[in-house]
Amino acid sequence: MTEWLIRPNHSAALEALAVEHERVPEAQREDGAPTTGSVTLASGQQDGSSGIEIGVWEMSVGAMSDTEVEEVFVVLSGAATILFVDEDRTLALSPGDLVRLAAGTRTIWTVAEPLRKLYITL
């Protein structure tokens, strides 16, 4: 069963949603003093799957490393790049971009303007 933060037949103003940030752990920091935060909008399981989560995630200016989960996201605001470490390839992000990340992918996120995205993890 999926639990939703928003009620059926209502909307959520994602740009106005308050997101509390925490410092990125030192082991993940690549440049600057970035912070991240997220708000879960829905989570649960359907059809015996491992679970789904829908939410809003933000990162402040700076760079951090990460290992990704299976995810699809839409950039709502900001500007950043994602370096796919094992592919030595960089993807530029801007508002409106739709991105799919594969589980286990090693990345380095470099944020030039505070980034906000709507994500769905599987």
Side-chain angles (χ1 to χ4, degrees):
M1 177 147 161
T2 302
E3 298 289 326
W4 287 87
L5 179 67
I6 45 178
R7 298 185 327 219
N9 305 322
H10 285 77
S11 65
L14 298 181
E15 284 297 320
L17 187 67
V19 178
E20 290 188 34
H21 283 226
E22 295 181 359
R23 283 188 72 148
V24 169
E26 184 153 343
Q28 288 181 270
R29 272 185 253 145
E30 296 287 332
D31 188 37
T35 61
T36 62
S38 64
V39 173
T40 301
L41 301 175
S43 64
Q45 293 182 326
Q46 292 184 337
D47 303 327
S49 69
S50 61
I52 186 171
E53 182 173 296
I54 302 168
V56 172
W57 180 85
E58 285 184 345
M59 182 175 162
S60 67
V61 172
M64 67 174 274
S65 62
D66 200 12
T67 301
E68 303 303 332
V69 298
E70 192 70 29
E71 175 182 341
V72 173
F73 68 86
V74 176
V75 176
L76 300 173
S77 61
T81 59
I82 303 173
L83 170 65
F84 297 96
V85 175
D86 297 326
E87 300 174 31
D88 194 29
R89 182 175 61 86
T90 302
L91 180 65
L93 302 176
S94 60
D97 287 346
L98 175 67
V99 179
R100 180 178 174 202
L101 299 173
T105 302
R106 294 184 314 136
T107 58
I108 297 177
W109 292 70
T110 302
V111 174
E113 296 174 25
L115 188 73
R116 181 176 278 215
K117 67 180 185 177
L118 173 69
Y119 68 86
I120 302 171
T121 62
L122 307 172

